[in-house]
Amino acid sequence: MRLIHSKPIRRGTACVEFAVVAPMLLIFIVGILEIGRYVEVYQILEAAAREGARQASTGQMTNAQVISAVTGCVQAAGLPTTHLTVTVSDLTNAGTDVSQATILDNLQVTVTLPYSAVAWSPTSYYTNSSTQISTTVYWVSANPQSYPSTVTAPSGS
């Protein structure tokens, strides 16, 4: 008498399939998380640079105070500031402190942070040690111009 099995015996097949697929799935998930982290850090640095440029445009803060404000924004967001680089410059009058900028001067704030300082996974697999997250914001100085004191009324008025 012959026995007929309704299902083929496939013990261990699911384990072998999972062992083949799991590494690829894990790499895919870690990659998605790292891209998300990169975007998050970029947005934080962009917002900090924008705030620094806005502060610089008032003409009431020096370069050092703007750098301190940007560093404070980055630190408040929970990112490390040990390797943070912030540069503030007046593009219209090179070498001039932003507190001395005149109305409509072009100001620039650049914020740079190494990706290795904020990555969640070992970054040596897909980036090198010099990979930076950098953003630059341009703003126009709104430092008010004093009204001239030697204005005279036109004749005949």
Side-chain angles (χ1 to χ4, degrees), residues 63-125:
N63 287 2
Q65 290 171 320
V66 172
I67 291 169
S68 179
V70 170
T71 304
C73 288
V74 171
Q75 192 172 24
L79 297 180
T81 58
T82 52
H83 300 291
L84 183 72
T85 305
V86 181
T87 57
V88 180
S89 54
D90 183 345
L91 299 177
T92 306
N93 300 312
T96 304
D97 194 273
V98 292
S99 63
Q100 302 301 315
T102 58
I103 192 165
L104 299 179
D105 277 4
N106 293 315
L107 308 178
Q108 174 184 322
V109 176
T110 302
V111 182
T112 305
L113 186 66
Y115 186 66
S116 60
V118 295
W120 283 334
S121 66
T123 58
S124 60
Y125 294 125

Side-chain angles (χ1 to χ4, degrees), residues 4-97:
I4 299 175
H5 295 289
S6 62
K7 292 183 182 180
I9 299 172
R10 295 182 43 141
R11 285 182 236 158
T13 305
C15 290
V16 172
E17 289 172 355
F18 181 73
V20 170
V21 173
M24 292 181 285
L25 185 62
L26 185 62
I27 290 170
F28 184 69
I29 290 171
V30 169
I32 289 173
L33 291 173
E34 283 300 325
I35 290 171
R37 177 64 171 171
Y38 180 90
V39 170
E40 175 193 21
V41 171
Y42 180 81
Q43 290 295 320
I44 290 170
L45 295 181
E46 178 82 18
R50 200 174 321 115
E51 177 61 21
R54 189 186 68 77
Q55 294 286 338
S57 73
T58 64
Q60 298 175 358
M61 296 180 83
T62 64
N63 287 2
Q65 290 171 320
V66 172
I67 291 169
S68 179
V70 170
T71 304
C73 288
V74 171
Q75 192 172 24
L79 297 180
T81 58
T82 52
H83 300 291
L84 183 72
T85 305
V86 181
T87 57
V88 180
S89 54
D90 183 345
L91 299 177
T92 306
N93 300 312
T96 304
D97 194 273

